[in-house]
Each structure stands twice: as C-alpha cells, then as structure tokens.
Amino acid sequence: MSAPILEARSITKRFGGLTANEDVSLVLPAPVGQVISVIGPNGAGKSTFFKMLSGFLRPSSGQVLLHGQDITGMPPHRIARLGLVRTFQETTIFPDLTAMEHVSLAHQLHREASDLEVVLGAPRAKGDEIRLGESAREILELMELSASADVAARHLPQGLLRLLGIAMGLAARPQVLLLDEPYAGLNPEETNRAVAITRKIAASGVSVLLVEHDMKAVMAISDRIHVLYFGRKIAEGTPEEIRNDPKVIEAYLGQEDEELGL
Ligand SMILES: Nc1ncnc2c1ncn2[C@@H]1O[C@H](COP(=O)(O)OP(=O)(O)OP(=O)(O)O)[C@@H](O)[C@H]1O
Ligand SMILES: [Mg+2]
C-alpha cells in the first residue's frame, strides 16, 4: 500500500480556554481522486481543522503530513506549492477582471520563470505564458466556465463566482483540494451543477476534502465521511455507515431534520 496523501495525526487546537479540535486524526488514502467529507454541527471545529491542514492556523499539538512530509506550521503558500490548496474566498474576486484573467492571475504563483525573465521576455517566460494559457483554458473547461472566459466577474451570477473561486484554487495544480462549504448559498440547480463538477475534479486526479452542511450532496458525493462533534471525531465511514451510526444520529438530534438527510 502506498503512503497516504495527507495525514492528520492527533491534532488539537485550543483558543484560550476553548478546545476547537481535540485529538483529531484523518488519513486521506492513496490514490488521489477521492472525495472525503468532514461533517458536524455548527461550531464542531470543521473550519478550524481545515485551517490547520492548510497552514492558516498552527495546531496546539499534533502533526500534519503531506506525502509523508511534515508540514505542521508551514505557511499556506509553501503548503500550496507542495500540493495542498484551500480555495480562495470570494473576497479575492476582482469585479473588473474576466474569468480567464482570474485563473491566469492564480497561475502566476506557479510559473517557472523569475520576475526578471518575465520582464525581459526570456524564452522560459514565453514558454510559461503558452503553457499557463493552455492550463487556464483546461481548468475553465473542467469547471464548465469556458463560456464565461471573457466575462468580467461582476457580471457572473453567484453560482459561477463560486466555481471561479474553485478554478483559481485548481490553478495551483493541487493534489489535495480543501473546499469549505462550497455549496452554501447556492440554489438547488447551482448546487447540483457544483456537485457534478466536484466529482469531475476528483476524477481528474485531485483528492477533494469537503466540509459541507448539505447532507444530500455529502451523501451523494463522498467516498468516506468523518464526523466532528464538539471538536472530537466521533465517527468515520462510508455514507451508508455514517447515515446509520447511532452516535452520529445522536449528535444531529435537535438539528433540522433534513441536516442528515434522514
Ligand atoms: N480564531 C478563533 N478564536 C477563537 N475561537 C475560535 C476561532 N475560530 C474558531 N473558534 C471557535 O472554535 C469552535 C469551532 O469553530 P469552527 O469555525 O471550526 O466550527 P465549524 O465546524 O466550522 O462551524 P460552522 O459549521 O458553523 O462553520 C467554535 O466554538 C468557534 O467559536
Ligand atoms: Mg465552518
């Protein structure tokens, strides 16, 4: 068996007296291309967990390993270069730039030429330009955004802006993509489309780690599900196992009925 792509080992995060994550472990198994979800009621610690994986927060204790390399406490841009990316929030969308320009901008992080080579128009910079242009078109196609390539972001509806945020994350060519509530605020039609695209992203060879409250979407899309409750992991399994797990049902009691899709 090959080494896990990503591994969280007994991560704990304390904010003063509050323990947001306690002893949370998760293994993202090889090969790449699975969708693994992290669910749990509001305040369970899901976003905190993602922020520790992607370098936006440092764990109080525990370790994060990416392809066996210890990345605990590394800054987000270094972790992104090693292949783990958290999607851009909508605040990083520029109203006047087109969809294509957004993906190209995100690509700049990954060009091989130095700034000087770009300024001088060196061969390597030209090569980058062509390669990254092709890559950006490919990503827009995967995200079903080709028709919006030349449309300024301010003219794009919410559902497409969300997809554009994910497209920018993909520009980093990650092996692991972290999506925190990517379908929140989308209408059912937009959600269905975004779920289908998430599947395509995974099929293209990217492991997707998903935090999502839309249980119908989670159950439909996940290969495995991990459940957080008051900062602790209380269950892990296939959608079927999670749906029938008494501890999970208990944790969700008192929530809206539809939350677990029961
Ligand atoms: N920077 C912070 N400082 C202090 N407390 C924090 C901080 N970030 C999160 N918390 C607390 O940690 C707990 C877990 O928060 P977190 O945002 O990880 O939950 P969540 O599972 O993502 O919730 P939601 O489903 O509402 O997004 C909450 O009690 C929250 O108030
Ligand atoms: Mg959250």
Side-chain angles (χ1 to χ4, degrees), residues 107 110-113 126-136:
H107 259 137
H110 294 274
R111 62 180 157 77
E112 279 165 15
K126 286 251 176 342
D128 272 353
E129 214 175 289
I130 295 166
R131 191 170 54 83
L132 295 183
E134 278 168 14
S135 171

Side-chain angles (χ1 to χ4, degrees), residues 117-224:
E117 285 173 318
V118 171
V119 172
L120 298 177
R124 196 143 70 113
K126 286 251 176 342
D128 272 353
E129 214 175 289
I130 295 166
R131 191 170 54 83
L132 295 183
E134 278 168 14
S135 171
R137 265 183 287 281
E138 230 176 67
I139 289 169
L140 288 177
E141 193 175 331
L142 176 72
M143 298 305 296
E144 300 178 6
L145 285 170
S146 298
S148 308
D150 299 321
V151 178
R154 75 168 107 136
H155 297 305
L156 294 176
Q158 171 77 2
L160 296 192
L161 284 177
R162 196 66 62 78
L163 295 178
L164 182 56
I166 298 175
M168 290 173 75
L170 286 176
R173 291 289 172 191
Q175 287 158 311
V176 183
L177 183 66
L178 268 48
L179 302 176
D180 193 346
E181 302 199 32
Y183 317 135
L186 300 186
N187 66 38
E189 195 184 318
E190 289 172 331
T191 302
N192 286 341
R193 181 175 178 188
V195 166
I197 292 172
T198 308
R199 258 195 232 277
K200 282 205 306 187
I201 293 170
S204 78
V206 178
S207 289
V208 177
L209 250 186
L210 178 71
V211 163
E212 185 49 56
H213 281 288
D214 183 334
M215 281 306 134
K216 203 165 139 253
V218 166
M219 292 292 165
I221 202 176
S222 308
D223 292 292
R224 278 186 94 66

Side-chain angles (χ1 to χ4, degrees), residues 13-16 18-21 39-51 57 180-181 211 213 228 231:
K13 180 69 190 178
R14 291 189 200 89
F15 294 115
L18 185 133
T19 305
N21 272 205
I39 65 169
N42 291 115
K46 306 178 295 293
S47 294
T48 301
F49 183 60
F50 268 25
K51 285 175 193 165
L57 279 176
D180 193 346
E181 302 199 32
V211 163
H213 281 288
L228 290 184

Side-chain angles (χ1 to χ4, degrees), residues 8-15 17-26 43-46 48-49 52 59-62 227-235:
R9 285 191 188 157
S10 296
I11 296 191
T12 292
K13 180 69 190 178
R14 291 189 200 89
F15 294 115
L18 185 133
T19 305
N21 272 205
E22 188 164 9
D23 208 17
V24 179
S25 295
L26 176 145
K46 306 178 295 293
T48 301
F49 183 60
M52 289 190 287
S60 306
S61 63
V227 186
L228 290 184
Y229 187 55
F230 286 113
R232 286 189 154 271
K233 196 164 99 176
I234 58 164

Side-chain angles (χ1 to χ4, degrees), residues 83-96:
L84 184 150
V85 163
R86 178 181 165 208
T87 47
F88 289 73
Q89 299 298 313
E90 274 156 60
T91 46
T92 54
I93 298 274
F94 303 95
D96 293 329

